[in-house]
Amino acid sequence: MQSPTENAPTPVGAKKLSWFDDILLLGIMAVLAGCGLIYEYLLSHYAGRVLGALEAAIYTMIGLMIVSMGVGAFAARKIRCAYTGFAVLELCVALCGALAILITAAVIGFGQQLPIIIANTLGLPPDQLPQGGAIGWLQKLSEHLPYFWGVLLGLMIGMEIPLIARVRQSLCDEHLMHNAGTIYGADYIGAGIGAAIWVSFMLAIDIQLAAALTASFNLLAGFIFIWRFWSKIRYVRLLLVGHLFATGLLLLLAWHGPNWEQDFNNLLYKDKVVYAKATRFQQLTFTERLRGNDLSPVYSLYINGRLQFSSQDEHIYHSFLVHPTLEASARHDKVLIIGGGDGLGLRQVFKWQPKHVTLMDLDKDLVNLFKDGSDAMPARLNLALKQLNADALNDPRVELLFDDAFNGTDKLIQRGEKYDVIIVDLPDPSHPDLNKLYSDLFYRKLKELLSADGALTVQSTSPYHAPKAFISVGKTLASAGFKVNQYHHNVPSFGEWGWSIATLQGKDAQARLAGLNKLSIDEAWLTPGMIKGAFEFPGNYYHDAGQVKINAIGSMQLYQYHQQAWLENENVSLF
């Protein structure tokens, strides 16, 4: 039943919301919704890439910002003039959005450098850097700065819809029946467009540049709003000057901000940062440590703030990853490497003279840096990376595939491929996307790809720092139908590290290697005795293995084991 006023004629001379103003306000709302979503992604990805735990940062940031937006929607009722309030709001959002990451990087970098500054001032030795107390509090507080910005931006973004709704209503004498629904429609559509822009464009550019670009749309919305509703805004000339000042600041941040932000991020590393690159999937940072006595520099690669290798001892990790596996396999003609985009494991594989090697990695940009170098990298780093992997990625026997391993292995199965050796050199399951690559389903896929007399090895995290995660990898492999052994060795840059080796038929890998007296290749560092000794664990190491669960697909069990170990050993650098 219609209300008596629903079809009542509009009084002569009454104001009606013009189509121009309506389209303008809804368009502004859609743009701001896209900006708000991008700010969520920017802040969470910055926290994850610099401080680690990407998935936890994303979930935390989104939750905090949604709650803050709700609070902001309530707070908008306290703003008396919707026109003035909205113009001020967009100026503030633009400034905070553009500066948040840069300020956070500066504070985090200063917190890391403060102990060194104090030690140098007081003449303290390097092993007595002041820690804890106020310094520890500052360092811990700085890690939560992205969430502070998330809450602040969430509060302001939450005010946008109520203010736009009030502006639309004030432009019309009659009640706008679908005011809220129309605005929310524009908001949802704009958020979807913002997500598409983030995935298709902004993931591939520098995060500070992305922040400045996003803030520029807030500022543009403010300019358009001031132009259209000039007479209704208080202090309008002052607000216009503020927008002009912010425009200059955004241009400065877009031009110099990425370099400034990277300089602040570089303060997190003890060695000198010589090159950094944000790919579509991760933040890559290369460091250099010069040494005297004609010793070559030490180069290290960090991904999302976590050490991946050091040129000083990477040969230990990769020797144990590769050589026991190929020694345990009956043949070495076809090899599959999953991960290992740096080519360091591939270099070790070529010592066995395989006929064909397939290397599958998700990040094409990372592989290209180690394969072809980059004009943006220092020449000495280009040369050092080529020397580290012996230019293995350019060998004609290598087939490079760029794909998520979970889906990429399906394509290999469809091709009918069989491999004598499979080496899985993936990062630890530190977030859900990686967890599936340690699941029983993924290992069943590898089972289809492995020859009956072949061998497979999986990098399996630290058996000392993450024992449950380590044991779970082995048990999950066994649940997929493999005969599994586990082994370990000390890698100085990481501490005690472990691998799981598996076979399908005949003897297990340890039994195959038990009679090894001489390696089948010319290897200067690794010895048969070291390989056989690596299978020894403390007598009670597997005492509680029965309580450790396998990582069934979808269970996130290994991810939980790894996260628990990470929290308990947060000062330990894991993959």
Side-chain angles (χ1 to χ4, degrees), residues 233-364:
I233 300 172
R234 302 172 184 173
Y235 316 111
V236 66
R237 288 181 173 79
L238 182 61
L239 282 170
L240 181 61
V241 171
H243 278 67
L244 292 172
F245 168 79
T247 300
L249 180 62
L250 288 184
L251 290 173
L252 184 66
L253 290 175
W255 185 257
H256 295 290
N259 291 331
W260 293 342
E261 181 240 335
Q262 191 57 60
D263 289 341
F264 290 135
N265 289 341
N266 293 349
L267 297 176
L268 296 172
Y269 302 94
K270 293 182 179 179
D271 297 338
K272 180 183 178 182
V273 174
V274 290
Y275 182 70
K277 177 180 176 63
T279 74
R280 181 177 178 83
F281 303 101
Q282 51 204 354
Q283 174 71 34
L284 310 177
T285 304
F286 293 88
T287 66
E288 177 186 61
R289 183 169 76 250
L290 300 178
R291 300 184 294 177
N293 300 322
D294 296 324
L295 295 173
S296 59
V298 175
Y299 291 99
S300 300
L301 168 64
Y302 294 81
I303 294 182
N304 294 342
R306 295 182 181 181
L307 180 64
Q308 297 302 294
F309 74 76
S310 168
S311 62
Q312 196 168 20
D313 56 22
E314 59 79 20
H315 68 280
I316 300 176
Y317 170 84
H318 290 101
S319 293
F320 271 101
L321 174 72
V322 171
H323 298 317
T325 322
L326 280 98
E327 196 70 69
S329 177
R331 289 169 289 112
H332 322 108
D333 292 339
K334 288 188 67 177
V335 178
L336 171 63
I337 301 176
I338 296 176
D342 50 31
L344 299 177
L346 182 62
R347 175 201 65 204
Q348 299 289 354
V349 167
F350 276 137
K351 294 181 180 180
W352 294 82
Q353 297 303 315
K355 294 180 180 178
H356 181 83
V357 181
T358 300
L359 188 147
M360 182 184 296
D361 198 285
L362 178 64
D363 197 337
K364 185 176 182 179

Side-chain angles (χ1 to χ4, degrees), residues 512-543:
R512 296 182 187 186
L513 297 170
L516 184 66
N517 295 315
K518 185 178 184 300
L519 290 179
S520 303
I521 59 168
D522 183 16
E523 167 61 30
W525 183 81
L526 189 64
T527 67
M530 293 170 67
I531 292 176
K532 288 184 276 190
F535 287 92
E536 291 295 322
F537 284 85
N540 62 349
Y541 185 81
Y542 289 97
H543 184 266

